[in-house]
Amino acid sequence: MQIGFIGAGRVGCSIGKYFVQSGIPVSGYYDQAAEAADSAASFTATKSFGSLKEAAAQSSLLFITTPDSIIVNIWEALRLQPLQGKIICHCSGALPSSAFTGIGQTGASCCSLHPMLPFSSRYASYQQLAHAFFTVEGQDTAVRAISKLLESLGNTVCQIDSACKPAYHAAASILSNQVTAVLDTGYRLLESCGFTEAQAIQASSGLVRQNIENVLQCGCTKALTGPIERNDLATVQKHLDCLNEEDKRMYQVLGLKLIHIATQKNPAADYSQLQALLEHAC
């Protein structure tokens, strides 16, 4: 099996490097920006293709690792090439494999694959992939081949229904990107107390890490602490009083969700007053 990549950004570079280091044959890269393909090929010690035709001809498995917005356009061009017996896979978390319209007419099979990882670096994120969890959906032939390949490297692969892709990707975004927004809000509040940004991050690092570790080890319900879990109305009111309207709305929404978790942890507690406080906060 020769694996080719269409798209030489962070995801393509990372997965290609991971495969090469694991002894999986990678044919090379094609990108509309030739310099990006050249750079990826150099990084992975593979080839830089000058066209989709060349990439398709020299690859039995093709990963489309472009931004979601151009996957369909890439496919419409790729499907004009001889694809009999090949596997086509895109790496969008939100887009299903049905984006490959007319795949049956080409003799190829298709799937979508998504690693639950943040790819922050084009040349370093590959180091995380040995422990990555992947989801896959699509046609049976492609799903089996991709799953077998990744499982042979020690990765866990979970097959999901294509109809679940939007909810799955929303979950991944909330657990990753939107956590960043919550952290930024906390850091800004510390900065308003006189901390620099660097000091705010450093000072809270133990708190952030330990809380995440607690959640990962024992789940959200058992890990929950703080004034909402303690049903501390006075402290929650002080929090609300010092927040601007935007941050107060976020505190309100998240606080009401925390009450739901708190009632699971402390079923005998009465959180009705706290809930009323938060519901009328804005």
Side-chain angles (χ1 to χ4, degrees):
M1 178 183 289
Q2 287 286 334
I3 301 174
F5 289 86
I6 301 170
R10 288 174 291 184
V11 175
C13 282
S14 299
I15 296 177
K17 183 72 169 181
Y18 176 51
F19 285 161
V20 168
Q21 285 202 328
S22 301
I24 305 299
V26 173
S27 57
Y29 289 83
Y30 168 75
D31 196 287
Q32 291 174 330
E35 63 274 16
D38 292 343
S39 178
S42 176
F43 178 59
T44 56
T46 61
K47 295 180 182 178
S48 174
F49 299 126
S51 65
L52 277 175
K53 180 179 181 180
E54 186 181 2
Q58 297 193 33
S59 309
S60 53
L61 168 56
L62 281 161
F63 280 94
I64 300 179
T65 50
T66 64
D68 289 13
S69 60
I70 63 172
I71 287 175
V72 171
N73 290 340
I74 293 293
W75 166 242
E76 290 301 319
L78 181 62
R79 65 185 290 190
L80 302 177
Q81 305 302 319
L83 299 177
Q84 182 69 39
K86 297 183 187 292
I87 294 172
I88 314 298
C89 176
H90 72 65
C91 293
S92 166
L95 200 65
S97 59
S98 58
F100 296 123
T101 56
I103 186 78
Q105 300 168 15
T106 68
S109 61
C110 68
C111 66
S112 70
L113 178 76
H114 187 256
M116 291 194 77
L117 278 178
F119 288 87
S120 58
S121 170
R122 195 166 181 238
Y123 301 116
S125 291
Y126 74 92
Q127 298 171 15
Q128 309 172 74
L129 282 167
H131 308 289
F133 181 97
F134 290 83
T135 56
V136 63
E137 64 81 28
Q139 296 178 328
D140 288 343
T141 298
V143 166
R144 284 196 300 268
I146 293 290
S147 298
K148 182 178 179 180
L149 171 64
L150 289 166
E151 288 169 352
S152 73
L153 301 181
N155 294 105
T156 299
V157 183
C158 176
Q159 185 174 356
I160 64 173
D161 190 282
S162 61
C164 295
K165 289 290 294 259
Y168 159 78
H169 196 252
S173 181
I174 289 168
L175 292 167
S176 178
N177 314 129
Q178 295 197 20
V179 169
T180 302
V182 174
L183 292 172
D184 179 70
T185 302
Y187 295 150
R188 284 191 293 101
L189 286 169
L190 288 177
E191 289 176 52
S192 74
C193 298
F195 290 72
T196 65
E197 181 183 10
Q199 288 171 335
I201 293 172
Q202 181 181 16
S204 61
S205 61
L207 175 68
V208 171
R209 286 196 184 99
Q210 191 58 57
N211 187 61
I212 293 297
E213 285 297 325
N214 291 345
V215 169
L216 295 177
Q217 289 176 17
C218 58
C220 293
T221 301
K222 290 183 179 179
L224 182 62
T225 62
I228 289 180
E229 187 269 332
R230 295 194 302 270
N231 212 357
D232 186 345
L233 274 74
T235 298
V236 170
Q237 183 64 67
K238 290 178 181 178
H239 291 174
L240 293 169
D241 290 343
C242 75
L243 297 175
N244 63 38
E245 288 304 310
E246 181 182 26
D247 292 343
K248 187 183 294 184
R249 286 195 297 272
M250 185 186 76
Y251 189 100
Q252 177 190 41
V253 171
L254 296 179
L256 289 169
K257 290 184 178 295
L258 289 177
I259 286 177
H260 177 71
I261 299 171
T263 57
Q264 296 174 344
K265 183 175 182 179
N266 306 310
D270 181 5
Y271 288 96
S272 59
Q273 286 184 284
L274 185 57
Q275 182 167 341
L277 172 63
L278 286 168
E279 285 176 343
H280 298 94
C282 295

